[in-house]
Amino acid sequence: MEERVRRTVMKHHMLEHNDHVAVAVSGGKDSLTLLSLLVKLEERFPKSKITAVSVDEGIEGYRDEALELARKACNDLGVEQLVVSYQDLFGITTDEIAQKHLGQTPCAYCGVFRRKAINKAAMMVGATKIATAHNLDDEVQTVLLNMLHGDPLRIVRSGPVLRDPRGRFLPRIKPLCDVSEKEIVLYAYLTGLDFQGATCPHGSEALRNDIRSFLNQMDQKHPGTKFTLQRTAERLRELLFDAAPVSELNECEKCGDPTPHRLCEACLMLEAIAA
Ligand code: SF4
Ligand code: ZN
């Protein structure tokens, strides 16, 4: 698996020799596997640096345990870690959002806030890139989700490497995008990684769960389905790259972050929560 991840990194030109990579580490199997593999890979690039960035969403009895495991892994691997919290950044926790019974699921808010929190943490440590632990299963589920949401251009704008042509957002890389969830579980057990097994009490992405079951069934009956879908998405990105317009960016009126609108998505959500 190490060799496959190395090949993925090379194929998509994910890393420069002097990159400072902020690795998003939650304490789950995927992110701890990513961190341990990138630490090994980094040994070949003496001028590069890795810092773990972790987000405390404020989910009692769940995230506390994961953050402790992430802290321990960083200690063992000799990696510096920065933890940022929703409470400090946004003044609200995911538990509090869940209690409000807003129109959307807690995940809808939590996902947007996490993206922003990781960005902020990466900027705070002076990173040049962000690495996230999305695996093959996550990637192909998202491709199908975007199709079912009628948003093909979102498929074009996503992928193993996200580079902002305007240079306003840090590049994001997904070195595990060719590795299946099953392989990661196996790797984590075989290498003795101490990861969090519990699932989030607010997890409620019903459509993604249905897609996960469907893809697992298909892949069992027709081995290679997930890889084929991944390759199809890659091909679509090549063919439709010029069809995905790049919008102009303003500064969010509240937080100053780049956004195509008056307010960034997170500030818009915070306004809706406060209303
Ligand atoms: Fe946040 Fe939803 Fe993930 Fe829980 S499952 S951490 S609420 S995005
Ligand atoms: Zn904002």
Side-chain angles (χ1 to χ4, degrees):
M1 193 165 108
E2 287 170 30
E3 182 50 28
R4 181 130 47 89
V5 171
R6 193 190 68 78
R7 279 208 304 270
T8 301
V9 166
M10 305 298 274
K11 176 181 158 193
H12 296 287
H13 308 287
M14 289 183 173
L15 294 174
E16 310 294 329
H17 72 286
N18 56 354
D19 261 331
H20 178 178
V21 185
V23 185
V25 179
S26 65
K29 62 182 183 332
D30 300 314
S31 64
L32 293 182
T33 296
L34 174 66
L35 184 66
S36 91
L37 289 174
L38 284 184
V39 165
K40 283 184 191 158
L41 202 60
E42 190 218 7
E43 287 165 5
R44 304 180 191 202
F45 302 94
K47 287 191 179 158
S48 65
K49 183 177 175 185
I50 286 178
T51 304
V53 294
S54 303
V55 179
D56 180 357
E57 298 96 339
I59 304 172
E60 217 186 311
Y62 169 69
R63 185 52 78 212
D64 350 6
E65 184 202 5
L67 285 174
E68 180 51 31
L69 292 169
R71 189 193 60 73
K72 193 172 154 292
C74 291
N75 262 351
D76 292 349
L77 292 165
V79 173
E80 285 173 31
Q81 182 196 25
L82 173 70
V83 182
V84 293
S85 74
Y86 284 6
Q87 183 63 59
D88 289 345
L89 293 176
F90 310 117
I92 192 162
T93 65
T94 295
D95 280 345
E96 288 165 350
I97 292 171
Q99 277 165 15
K100 285 181 178 284
H101 302 294
L102 300 157
Q104 303 185 68
T105 64
C107 294
Y109 301 88
C110 190
V112 170
F113 291 163
R114 184 182 304 110
R115 226 176 1 260
K116 190 174 178 97
I118 289 172
N119 252 323
K120 281 215 175 300
M123 306 280 255
M124 283 157 85
V125 301
T128 54
K129 244 166 224 167
I130 296 171
T132 60
H134 294 88
N135 60 39
L136 174 70
D137 293 65
D138 299 325
E139 288 297 278
V140 292
Q141 285 161 20
T142 303
V143 168
L144 277 194
L145 259 178
N146 287 327
M147 283 187 172
L148 294 177
H149 284 147
D151 196 352
L153 290 186
R154 208 175 256 263
I155 299 173
V156 180
R157 289 193 300 262
S158 62
V161 180
L162 306 181
R163 286 192 184 90
D164 176 15
R166 301 150 301 198
R168 303 283 299 278
F169 295 99
L170 285 178
R172 286 184 168 240
I173 58 171
K174 302 173 187 172
L176 299 184
C177 64
D178 289 327
V179 184
S180 73
E181 190 171 3
K182 267 189 194 161
E183 289 172 282
I184 291 174
V185 173
L186 202 62
Y187 177 89
Y189 277 119
L190 290 177
T191 55
L193 286 181
D194 198 3
F195 62 88
Q196 187 182 44
T199 52
C200 172
H202 304 304
S204 55
E205 288 188 287
L207 184 55
R208 185 179 283 272
N209 289 338
D210 288 346
I211 289 174
R212 177 183 293 117
S213 309
F214 167 71
L215 283 172
N216 285 343
Q217 279 173 23
M218 286 292 289
D219 208 59
Q220 205 168 4
K221 241 178 153 177
H222 309 282
T225 295
K226 292 176 188 173
F227 275 110
T228 305
L229 198 50
Q230 171 90 313
R231 298 293 164 254
T232 303
E234 269 182 25
R235 192 81 187 100
L236 278 176
R237 283 180 198 118
E238 287 163 17
L239 291 170
L240 297 176
F241 184 77
D242 292 333
V246 181
S247 46
E248 292 214 353
L249 292 175
N250 312 309
E251 282 185 3
C252 170
E253 286 180 11
K254 284 213 160 163
C255 70
D257 279 0
T259 171
H261 310 291
R262 185 178 69 82
L263 293 179
C264 71
E265 218 180 341
C267 287
L268 211 57
M269 285 186 158
L270 286 171
E271 264 197 356
I273 291 169

